């Protein structure tokens, strides 16, 4: 297969490239600097440029495009960029897997299934919700995968934050009242690539099986990495943030060989 990973220099994008590279022809896009995975074609792309997205995807002619690009503080990248990638993929006849987020939910309902209606309360959540609407309107056959906090074996933003807080390199605290369903990056990438070849469309939830607070997640990371859990400061998140958002992934898991592990398992 010819697979184009958009946003490949990010944490998830890099893992998608690593898993897809053996046996596939992979184009990996980046904004500022290319990744290090060999045997893939690294291509610069700013998804805010509609013409550039159309030209790159049109020239590579992918069978599948996985869009993992986003910027939490930039509406154009997250919302309009998703629309530009969807339009370019549809025009080229490829299949689109668009990565979305649990940020599209407010947390008022706590548990959310694939048919739950987005009700974002943050600018980033609104951008992600707008991206979902645009992708579905442009390409009804696209697959939208909502996920949660992404953790790995080191290198994720949350793991880096835990290390910085535990060692005093950064001030702040981890919320005890903000709950998510963290997913391991390798599980997520494997599931996305599996869904890409499944022929399925519409919204799917791809997150871990454990609901944990950001503070509990930090404690799990600290214990794994032999940091002192007592060094992790805790506090309460303001009510302006989505507090308890749990993605129910039971329906999607039925269609996957990849098992979506919970944080208490993969951080043992």
């Amino acid at each position: 297969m010819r697979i184009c990973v958009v946003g490949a220099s990010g944490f998830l994008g890099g893992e998608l490239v690593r898993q897809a590279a053996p046996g596939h022809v992979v184009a990996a896009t980046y904004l500022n600097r290319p990744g290090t995975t060999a045997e893939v074609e690294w291509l610069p792309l700013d998804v805010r440029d509609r013409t550039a997205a159309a030209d790159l995807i049109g020239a590579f002619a992918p069978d599948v495009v996985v869009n993992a690009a986003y910027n939490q503080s930039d509406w154009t990248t997250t919302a309009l960029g998703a629309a530009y990638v969807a339009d370019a993929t549809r025009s080229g006849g490829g299949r689109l897997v668009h990565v979305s987020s649990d940020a599209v939910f407010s947390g008022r309902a706590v548990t959310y299934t694939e048919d739950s209606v987005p009700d974002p309360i943050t600018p980033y959540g609104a951008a992600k919700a707008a991206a979902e609407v645009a992708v579905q309107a442009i390409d009804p056959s696209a697959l939208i995968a909502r996920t949660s906090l992404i953790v790995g074996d080191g290198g994720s933003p949350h793991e880096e934050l835990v290390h910085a807080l535990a060692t005093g390199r950064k001030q702040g605290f981890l919320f005890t009242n903000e709950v998510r369903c963290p997913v391991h990056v390798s599980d997520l990438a494997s599931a996305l690539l599996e869904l890409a070849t499944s022929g399925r469309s519409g919204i799917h939830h791809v997150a871990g099986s454990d609901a944990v607070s950001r503070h509990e997640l930090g404690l799990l990371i600290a214990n794994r990495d032999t940091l002192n859990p007592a060094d992790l400061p805790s506090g309460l998140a303001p009510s302006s943030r989505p507090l308890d958002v749990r993605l129910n992934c039971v329906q999607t898991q039925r269609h996957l060989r990849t098992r979506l592990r919970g944080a208490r398992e993969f951080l043992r």
Side-chain angles (χ1 to χ4, degrees), residues 139-210:
D139 185 1
S141 67
L143 187 141
I144 295 171
R146 293 181 184 136
T147 191
S148 190
L149 295 177
I150 306 173
V151 181
D153 300 319
S156 72
H158 197 82
E159 289 165 286
E160 291 174 354
L161 174 61
V162 168
H163 278 252
L165 291 173
T167 57
R169 289 184 287 109
K170 187 168 186 175
Q171 299 300 308
F173 50 83
L174 298 173
F175 300 134
T176 58
N177 61 333
E178 189 170 296
V179 176
R180 298 292 187 269
C181 295
V183 64
H184 195 283
V185 66
S186 65
D187 295 350
L188 177 56
S190 175
L192 292 174
L193 292 172
E194 190 178 335
L195 288 168
T197 59
S198 69
R200 299 188 60 78
S201 62
I203 294 172
H204 291 66
H205 284 180
V206 189
S209 55
D210 291 336

Side-chain angles (χ1 to χ4, degrees), residues 21-265:
H24 299 291
V25 179
V26 178
T29 82
Y30 65 92
L31 179 59
N32 295 315
R33 60 182 181 276
T36 58
T37 301
E39 299 179 359
V40 304
E41 186 176 6
W42 289 94
L43 302 169
L45 174 65
D46 186 339
V47 295
R48 296 171 296 183
D49 185 332
R50 183 173 192 166
T51 300
D55 289 348
L56 185 149
I57 291 173
F60 183 68
D63 300 301
V64 171
V65 174
V66 183
N67 183 14
Y70 74 97
N71 183 325
Q72 287 199 1
S73 61
D74 183 60
W75 176 280
T76 304
T77 297
T78 303
L80 290 182
Y84 298 157
V85 171
D87 187 51
T89 305
R90 179 194 57 80
S91 296
R95 171 167 168 73
L96 175 64
V97 175
H98 173 77
V99 181
S100 189
S101 167
D102 57 11
V104 302
F105 296 120
S106 68
R108 296 186 184 99
V110 179
T111 301
Y112 294 88
T113 56
E114 284 86 349
D115 59 357
S116 297
V117 177
D119 60 342
I121 59 173
T122 64
Y124 174 60
K128 275 295 193 182
E132 289 188 3
V133 172
V135 167
Q136 288 179 303
I138 293 167
D139 185 1
S141 67
L143 187 141
I144 295 171
R146 293 181 184 136
T147 191
S148 190
L149 295 177
I150 306 173
V151 181
D153 300 319
S156 72
H158 197 82
E159 289 165 286
E160 291 174 354
L161 174 61
V162 168
H163 278 252
L165 291 173
T167 57
R169 289 184 287 109
K170 187 168 186 175
Q171 299 300 308
F173 50 83
L174 298 173
F175 300 134
T176 58
N177 61 333
E178 189 170 296
V179 176
R180 298 292 187 269
C181 295
V183 64
H184 195 283
V185 66
S186 65
D187 295 350
L188 177 56
S190 175
L192 292 174
L193 292 172
E194 190 178 335
L195 288 168
T197 59
S198 69
R200 299 188 60 78
S201 62
I203 294 172
H204 291 66
H205 284 180
V206 189
S209 55
D210 291 336
V212 300
S213 71
R214 286 183 181 266
H215 184 252
E216 182 182 353
L217 179 61
L219 295 178
L220 291 169
I221 293 168
N223 281 316
R224 182 199 65 184
D225 295 347
T226 64
L227 300 170
N228 185 358
D231 290 335
L232 289 178
S234 62
L236 295 176
S239 58
S240 57
R241 294 172 61 93
L243 296 181
D244 196 339
V245 180
R246 310 182 187 203
L247 295 183
N248 183 319
C249 304
V250 172
Q251 184 62 32
T252 296
Q253 181 69 84
R254 291 186 181 130
H255 302 285
L256 289 172
R257 295 184 303 275
T258 301
R259 188 168 66 86
L260 300 169
R261 297 169 293 165
R264 296 187 186 99
E265 177 182 351

